[in-house]
Amino acid sequence: MFTTILISVLIISLIAAALAAVLAVSENYLGDYGPCKITINKESELEVRGGKSLLALLSQEKIFIPSACGGRGTCGMCKLKVLEGGGPLLPTEEPFLSDEERDSNVRLSCQVKVRNDIEIQIPDEIFAVQEFKCRCADILELTHDIRQFTFELIEPEKIDFVPGQYVQLFTPAYEKSSEEVYRAYSISSDARNDGKIELIIRLVPNGICTTYCFDYLKEGDEVKLNGPYGDFQLSDTEAPIIFIAGGSGMAPIKSMLHQMVNTDNKRKASYFFGANKVSELFLGDLMKDFESQLADFTYVPVVANPEPEENWDGETGLVTEAVKRQIDDASVCEAYLCGSPGMIDASIAVLKELGMKEENIFYDKFA
Amino acid sequence: MNFGSEISQAFVVCISAIFTQNILLSYFLGLCPFIGVSREVKTSIGLGLAVIFVMTFTVMLNWLAYHYVLAPLNLHFFRFIMFIIIIAAFVQFIEMAIDRFSPVLYQNLGVFLPLITVNCAILGVSLFMVIRDYSFIVTIGYGLGSGIGWFLAIIAMAGIRQRLANERIPKGLQGAGITLIVAGIMALAFIGFTGVLQGQ
Ligand code: FES
């Protein structure tokens, strides 16, 4: 009996090992597409070993295409134009591409496998994207589920970004997640302090990256991030500004307010910050500072349901209701919004009601 | 048995696997992809071709593994695990090879191949070939016939479902419900072939 068990285990293991070896060898042979050339924007050329996705090969070469799902083809963010050599459009890409995009050869870079020489076109800003090695210098608890993380840049030592842009934070595999992921967060720091990056992050229950940041990341730890990305930024007009953002949506607005102080911007501006309870408001002192430093800035915290014992004497109800109460005519204003899709859609509706033109509403929606 | 009579037996077994002993309609194996992927004729053809291909080749490999490794060592009871490992490895290998040598075919079959690894019809055919004690040549005929039988069944079903898409079907029967009823009627129709050939 014992020998039978032994022999059987041995034989099965041997066969499985032999099959695995055959697969590994053939993977090596079949999965190797030899040297391939990636031509970018008709000017630069990269020599890579084919066989992996375009997204992976570009990030290997330190060209970072935005991606929120880590290359699984579910976020639709990693779009770029493949002018030649990309092969036919795959069924996995179809749901993310409009007819127009299909006609102009837009593809999802995580789904296109590099098998031969390939020619692509990517926006110039993406070239400016770099990978940063940083150290977590400070973690500040803002509310029960929102924290401000400050990262000191190690290499390169400086970042050049436009307030309103975001970076992608790398989360290594850890106890609760076996995959490595990148997640996007708006930069909240002052662009003048270019040696550090500050992010305001809200804990998402079971979120891979936020759980990592809240439960595992310690001061002094090294992290990797890349960026900056995005075109959410202040325009250079003189129109009065309405900012609307609650929770961690404050991040890009805070960075923009620093910018206004730095450039001595005299535009009229009000910032409506929505929260459910008084305890969910944060960085109030900083906002008071902005009020005193800026020529014409008002900070309007709005609490939806203040508890009687909280003695709240400010605006109450939904943030959109407060906007309606305080602003009669928004037709000459510009608005900058950041937050959940629900909040942004509601704000856009109210702003339009107040006479604002759609093209003057800029926003950064949390995907 | 000489070679000529083996070939003719293989032929008989192949035809009977397509019609009288259809793996799907007589044994109801491989039912989940049959229900899941039979919405369109085009995708059904892709999946059906992949099944023919994988079935024919894995049944051959499994025959060799069974008769040259398991049987001599008296490890018959290990055939389940062994067959599954071989099927999985084969499918993975084929996926890589098709991706490499025929990207166009990969586009059509590629997404279906991993699905097939866990298709019970594939394992069922390998187990039947052992129970019925088929020779190697007959086994090839059996694998090929079973694959073609499955292919025919799914294409017929997809054709019917495409027509059903425009029909008014009671709410509770839409989707899998009506598909199972149609499968039952198709199975009855295939019973009509019984007696034409006995390939066991
Ligand atoms: S990285 Fe998310 S779809 Fe490509």
Side-chain angles (χ1 to χ4, degrees):
Chain A
M1 176 70 184
F2 182 69
T3 34
T4 320
I5 294 178
L6 206 68
I7 293 180
S8 1
V9 171
L10 206 75
I11 293 291
I12 292 294
S13 315
L14 271 180
I15 291 175
L19 288 172
V22 170
L23 282 181
V25 170
S26 32
E27 160 104 72
N28 226 344
Y29 167 68
L30 292 172
D32 181 8
Y33 288 77
C36 300
K37 216 169 21 182
I38 305 181
T39 313
I40 306 172
N41 297 356
K42 298 208 189 303
E43 41 191 52
S44 50
E45 277 184 3
L46 293 175
E47 278 283 336
V48 293
R49 273 211 101 67
K52 284 198 204 152
S53 76
L54 193 51
L55 179 77
L57 288 172
L58 288 174
S59 83
Q60 198 173 299
E61 297 293 326
K62 303 265 180 267
I63 295 176
F64 298 101
I65 307 293
S67 91
C69 68
R72 273 177 300 162
T74 54
C75 70
M77 281 176 72
C78 58
K79 289 177 186 170
L80 47 74
K81 280 190 186 172
V82 177
L83 304 178
E84 235 183 85
L89 193 71
L90 299 171
T92 40
E93 296 173 82
E94 276 169 14
F96 295 99
L97 302 177
S98 65
D99 288 342
E100 241 167 73
E101 286 176 320
R102 278 177 220 201
D103 292 343
S104 54
N105 295 323
V106 174
R107 305 284 302 265
L108 291 189
S109 61
C110 67
Q111 301 298 306
V112 176
K113 191 161 168 181
V114 178
R115 297 188 165 90
N116 38 27
D117 291 357
I118 190 166
E119 193 183 330
I120 61 173
Q121 196 181 332
I122 47 185
D124 284 337
E125 308 86 81
I126 289 187
F127 271 131
V129 169
Q130 284 180 297
E131 182 172 67
F132 295 90
K133 202 159 79 164
C134 350
R135 182 177 304 109
C136 176
D138 184 49
I139 301 176
L140 179 69
E141 189 147 342
L142 298 176
T143 72
H144 70 284
D145 66 348
I146 299 181
R147 286 183 194 167
Q148 173 177 291
F149 296 82
T150 309
F151 300 106
E152 239 169 46
L153 303 183
I154 303 175
E155 208 206 312
E157 288 174 357
K158 285 189 166 130
I159 179 166
D160 189 13
F161 70 94
V162 182
Q165 286 192 299
Y166 66 92
V167 288
Q168 296 195 131
L169 181 63
F170 172 77
T171 311
Y174 68 106
E175 215 181 320
K176 295 208 175 124
S177 150
S178 54
E179 51 178 333
E180 301 183 335
V181 295
Y182 280 99
R183 289 287 183 268
Y185 298 103
S186 294
I187 307 174
S188 66
S189 41
D190 183 348
R192 221 175 20 176
N193 292 337
D194 53 6
K196 63 176 193 175
I197 291 176
E198 221 175 67
L199 308 176
I200 295 178
I201 301 180
R202 159 175 268 147
L203 178 66
V204 179
N206 298 323
I208 299 180
C209 187
T210 59
T211 309
Y212 171 75
C213 291
F214 274 65
D215 297 347
Y216 294 85
L217 188 64
K218 302 270 164 313
E219 280 173 27
D221 286 358
E222 268 191 20
V223 295
K224 260 192 331 188
L225 39 82
N226 59 49
Y229 301 98
D231 45 17
F232 183 53
Q233 53 179 274
L234 281 182
S235 68
D236 54 9
T237 62
E238 288 304 317
I241 301 174
I242 302 172
F243 293 113
I244 307 177
S248 54
M250 180 192 274
I253 313 291
K254 174 175 174 283
S255 189
M256 289 173 176
L257 289 168
H258 283 297
Q259 180 193 20
M260 288 179 73
V261 172
N262 296 341
T263 53
D264 197 20
N265 194 323
K266 301 245 171 357
R267 284 167 83 171
K268 182 177 164 57
S270 3
Y271 174 21
F272 294 86
F273 181 102
N276 279 320
K277 293 188 235 146
V278 176
S279 59
E280 286 176 12
L281 295 173
F282 56 85
L283 296 183
D285 292 342
L286 179 74
M287 293 299 138
K288 290 267 161 317
D289 287 349
F290 283 134
E291 280 184 330
S292 60
Q293 290 166 323
L294 284 165
D296 191 356
F297 171 65
T298 15
Y299 171 58
V300 188
V302 188
V303 179
N305 301 305
E307 305 284 335
E309 66 273 14
E310 287 176 324
N311 293 326
W312 177 250
D313 63 352
E315 285 279 358
T316 54
L318 292 175
V319 73
T320 43
E321 291 165 0
V323 173
K324 262 202 232 169
R325 277 195 294 268
Q326 297 219 355
I327 294 183
D328 306 322
D329 178 15
S331 58
V332 292
C333 306
E334 276 177 0
Y336 295 84
L337 325 171
C338 181
S340 63
M343 182 230 118
I344 288 191
D345 294 342
S347 305
I348 293 178
V350 167
L351 290 167
K352 283 212 226 152
E353 244 174 70
L354 293 173
M356 192 176 282
K357 286 195 224 78
E358 188 140 17
E359 64 262 30
N360 289 336
I361 308 178
F362 308 96
Y363 55 81
D364 186 358
K365 248 187 213 184
F366 292 169
Chain B
M1 216 190 300
N2 66 24
F3 188 66
S5 70
E6 264 202 42
I7 294 277
S8 66
Q9 199 205 339
F11 182 71
V12 171
V13 166
C14 177
I15 300 295
S16 93
I18 298 176
F19 297 109
T20 56
Q21 309 265 330
N22 190 295
I23 191 84
L24 189 106
L25 296 169
S26 310
Y27 296 97
F28 285 98
L29 289 175
L31 210 52
C32 24
F34 175 70
I35 306 269
V37 188
S38 58
R39 233 162 278 139
E40 273 176 45
V41 174
K42 199 172 141 227
T43 37
S44 303
I45 292 180
L47 181 62
L49 287 177
V51 167
I52 298 183
F53 187 75
V54 173
M55 217 174 241
T56 314
F57 285 95
T58 52
V59 87
M60 283 156 70
L61 290 176
N62 284 341
W63 190 94
L64 294 173
Y66 182 80
H67 286 276
Y68 289 104
V69 183
L70 296 186
L73 291 166
N74 227 348
L75 294 176
H76 306 269
F77 52 89
F78 255 131
R79 56 180 187 262
F80 285 87
I81 296 182
M82 178 89 147
F83 289 173
I84 288 176
I85 295 178
I86 290 178
I87 293 169
F90 177 77
V91 169
Q92 196 150 20
F93 176 77
I94 286 301
E95 207 185 335
M96 268 192 271
I98 298 186
D99 187 13
R100 173 78 206 225
F101 298 113
S102 172
V104 181
L105 185 62
Y106 181 74
Q107 248 225 288
N108 294 319
L109 291 191
V111 280
F112 299 119
L113 285 169
L115 254 181
I116 291 172
T117 316
V118 286
N119 185 340
C120 53
I122 307 274
L123 180 64
V125 167
S126 289
L127 293 172
F128 279 142
M129 109 204 144
V130 171
I131 297 170
R132 297 178 188 170
D133 210 6
Y134 286 150
S135 69
F136 187 63
I137 306 246
V138 178
T139 295
I140 298 176
Y142 183 53
L144 181 67
S146 300
I148 297 176
W150 201 93
F151 174 82
L152 282 184
I154 193 168
I155 301 235
M157 175 59 98
I160 295 173
R161 282 184 79 175
Q162 272 191 353
R163 300 204 147 220
L164 282 182
N166 302 325
E167 300 299 326
R168 286 172 48 207
I169 294 167
K171 223 176 170 158
L173 283 181
Q174 282 168 8
I178 192 75
T179 312
L180 278 170
I181 293 177
V182 172
I185 298 172
M186 275 170 66
L188 285 177
F190 267 66
I191 287 183
F193 290 116
T194 324
V196 175
L197 258 181
Q198 261 327 322
Q200 282 212 25

